[in-house]
Amino acid sequence: MTTRRRFLLGGAGAVAALGLPGGLRGQSLAFPALKAQPASVQLAPLPYPETEIWGYDGLIPGPTLRVRQGARVQRSFHNGLQQASSVHWHGIRIDNAMDGVPGLTQEAVPPGAVFDYDFEAPDAGTYWYHAHHRSVEQVARGLYGALIVEEAEGPDVDREEILVLDDWRLDPDSAQIDPDFTSFHDLSHAGRLGNFITTNGRYDLSVEVRKNERLRLRLINAANAKIFPLALSGLEGWTVALDGMPLEAPEPITDALLLGPGQRADLIVDVIAEDGEAAHLVRAEGNQGYSQVAFPVRGVAASTRRAAPDALPPNPNMQPPALAEAVPVRLTMEGGAMGGLGAAILEGERKSFRQLAEAGQFWAFNGTVGLTETPLAELARGQAVRLEIHNDTVFPHAMHLHGMHFREVAEGGALGPLRDTLLMFGGEKREIAFVAHNPGDWLFHCHMLSHAASGMMTWMRVA
């Protein structure tokens, strides 16, 4: 039997056994093409050779897709790889059939086939798209890009910069991507962490600016597992949106911003470094700070700084959940190294730790490894939900909910900003709440992609 879990992870024969998916037979070419294909790019500095990657249209990142709020995103996905794939539109409140999750919302797109994605983008903000079949490999090889949904009236800035952060695991001699995507260490520890860090595919990205220029920085963490602690040098500003959703009021940036895998942040910053100096987006590593992006200052935009920015306009139909009426759901994370699974349910059968390890499965939700035939929760459309999450492991996890956004519930019932990905550290207990307004079967998984591949996936049904 091809279970949900086997199909999602690309189990042997999953596509071949089903033949050509019915939704692909027409192979419509009505929309602009978006092709996943092998390519070579100069990731590492010369004299290293070019690195062989997989990219949308052969680019790293893939082409930036930009639409106005309320417009449709329409792309014909062409699979030019030698393995099946799909595209997930991360953070968009999307029609379920377009969510791009094989085994849950669609069939994987076989090599050489075409699938038309067509959906409305109801919310302005910073989003991204990436492979969602064998994603622990396909995202690590470069299959991702930015999706920008523009407000009807944008903020008062001079310009914006999209900054896609990633880390790569490269061979130190050949600069080629390490092809071991199922390392038991990665699966059972912190995930696949790289040794080479880029922004927009560049290790040395530099963007010229002017003193007192105002920028909108759209930050996207596309890494498999790396958490980016980010700070500003020679820049001052505000966080105005998280995971695409505007904050009620801009928040001054005073401390490091933690950006977990899959998370995004929109910043509005002023250049305060002097002409001839350089500002930086700084990445903190231990007690050291490294330039993630350099902003050399060349000239002066204005004699003085502007007033603090206004809040971005809120997105529609995002009413907070009524906590008193919310249905309670609990999710407990278990497993990993230094914790381990004594036993857990895998594909409907109870397995010992040895059996789980032999299958490369090291994590469980509520005692079950990977996707089940029945959902974590069956929810009525419009129902409020309170989801209590216990991280009974020693590792961080970035929990991503497809198709909807949630708010964290603080002590006393206060609700935090809208998010679609929650970064949780070992031993933490957190609670989120949301309104189940979007019908369909929605994945909820760890965006440390090695963790998802080794058990950390579940789903919810809204009907």
Side-chain angles (χ1 to χ4, degrees):
M1 178 179 70
T2 300
T3 65
R4 288 181 180 276
R5 180 181 168 277
R6 280 196 183 279
F7 207 133
L8 184 72
L9 296 182
V15 174
L18 293 174
L20 184 63
L24 303 178
R25 290 195 182 103
Q27 296 197 2
S28 168
L29 303 180
F31 305 147
L34 181 70
K35 185 174 183 180
Q37 63 188 72
S40 295
V41 299
Q42 190 69 50
L43 275 182
L46 294 171
Y48 281 102
E50 291 186 340
T51 301
E52 295 178 4
I53 58 98
W54 295 350
Y56 292 112
D57 294 354
L59 302 174
I60 285 293
T64 296
L65 307 183
R66 187 181 291 269
V67 298
R68 301 287 283 180
Q69 185 174 10
R72 301 198 73 80
V73 176
Q74 297 175 315
R75 285 294 185 279
S76 280
F77 168 60
H78 295 233
N79 186 4
L81 307 174
Q82 293 301 306
Q83 59 181 240
S85 191
S86 69
V87 183
H88 170 56
W89 311 89
H90 186 121
I92 296 288
R93 292 191 289 167
I94 200 169
D95 293 338
N96 190 243
M98 295 287 105
D99 197 42
V101 181
L104 196 64
T105 69
Q106 71 169 88
E107 298 169 6
V109 182
V114 177
F115 186 92
D116 283 349
Y117 288 99
D118 179 8
F119 57 89
E120 181 180 319
D123 302 316
T126 300
Y127 307 98
W128 64 305
Y129 61 96
H130 62 81
H132 218 292
H133 183 71
R134 299 178 63 164
S135 54
V136 68
E137 174 180 1
Q138 294 187 8
V139 175
R141 290 189 182 275
L143 284 171
Y144 57 77
L147 170 58
I148 306 302
V149 183
E150 298 177 336
E151 302 91 353
E153 293 187 13
D156 178 21
V157 297
D158 295 309
R159 60 192 168 107
E160 72 172 39
E161 296 290 338
I162 302 168
L163 304 175
V164 184
L165 315 182
D166 195 7
D167 66 339
W168 306 75
R169 186 176 293 178
L170 302 183
D171 181 278
D173 297 319
S174 67
Q176 300 309 306
I177 296 171
D178 183 342
D180 183 2
F181 299 99
T182 56
S183 156
F184 276 17
H185 183 277
D186 293 345
L187 296 176
S188 63
H189 286 68
R192 183 183 170 97
L193 298 170
N195 57 2
F196 188 76
I197 295 174
T198 61
T199 305
N200 297 350
R202 295 286 302 272
Y203 71 93
D204 59 350
L205 185 64
S206 180
V207 180
E208 281 197 8
V209 295
R210 297 173 294 163
K211 180 176 172 59
N212 290 332
E213 189 172 15
R214 176 162 285 186
L215 311 174
R216 179 180 189 168
L217 304 182
R218 297 182 183 263
L219 309 180
I220 300 170
N221 183 353
N224 266 41
K226 185 174 180 59
I227 300 167
F228 283 88
L230 301 170
L232 303 178
S233 174
L235 304 166
E236 285 187 359
W238 303 261
T239 303
V240 295
L242 294 170
D243 291 350
M245 292 293 163
L247 302 182
E248 292 183 1
E251 294 184 356
I253 299 169
T254 56
D255 299 316
L257 170 70
L258 286 183
L259 205 64
Q263 292 187 321
R264 290 90 62 216
D266 286 45
L267 314 181
I268 291 180
V269 300
D270 293 338
V271 179
I272 61 171
E274 299 294 331
D275 184 14
E277 298 178 347
H280 299 271
L281 178 66
V282 178
R283 181 184 75 255
E285 301 280 1
N287 295 324
Q288 301 294 318
Y290 300 88
S291 178
Q292 184 73 31
V293 182
F295 297 92
V297 184
R298 303 288 184 264
V300 177
S303 58
T304 59
R305 293 178 61 184
R306 294 176 233 196
D310 295 328
L312 298 175
N315 284 317
N317 303 317
M318 297 299 293
Q319 290 78 13
L323 296 182
E325 303 169 6
V327 173
V329 181
R330 176 175 170 135
L331 182 74
T332 299
M333 306 172 179
E334 307 161 281
M338 295 175 280
L341 290 175
I345 303 299
L346 174 64
E347 297 178 355
E349 297 182 5
R350 190 165 184 82
K351 304 286 188 179
S352 68
F353 171 77
R354 171 176 285 185
Q355 290 172 313
L356 294 170
E358 288 174 349
Q361 300 299 297
F362 296 95
W363 307 92
F365 288 154
N366 295 347
T368 298
V369 175
L371 285 188
T372 56
E373 294 296 325
T374 57
L376 172 70
E378 294 196 54
L379 307 167
R381 189 173 183 181
Q383 194 168 58
V385 183
R386 293 183 72 159
L387 175 55
E388 188 178 282
I389 308 174
H390 295 245
N391 184 357
D392 286 348
T393 82
V394 300
F395 292 100
H397 303 289
M399 292 301 299
H400 172 50
L401 177 62
H402 287 218
M404 294 170 286
H405 287 73
F406 54 77
R407 297 176 186 268
E408 186 167 1
V409 182
E411 189 174 349
L415 294 174
L418 287 161
R419 304 295 303 252
D420 61 48
T421 306
L422 177 72
L423 181 60
M424 292 187 65
F425 290 91
E428 285 190 329
K429 181 175 75 173
R430 310 268 284 279
E431 185 179 22
I432 62 174
F434 61 95
V435 176
H437 66 275
N438 201 356
D441 293 345
W442 299 108
L443 197 66
F444 187 47
H445 68 104
C446 180
H447 224 281
M448 276 72 168
L449 298 177
S450 296
H451 296 170
S454 54
M456 298 195 81
M457 294 184 297
T458 187
W459 62 291
M460 289 179 257
R461 171 167 289 162
V462 181

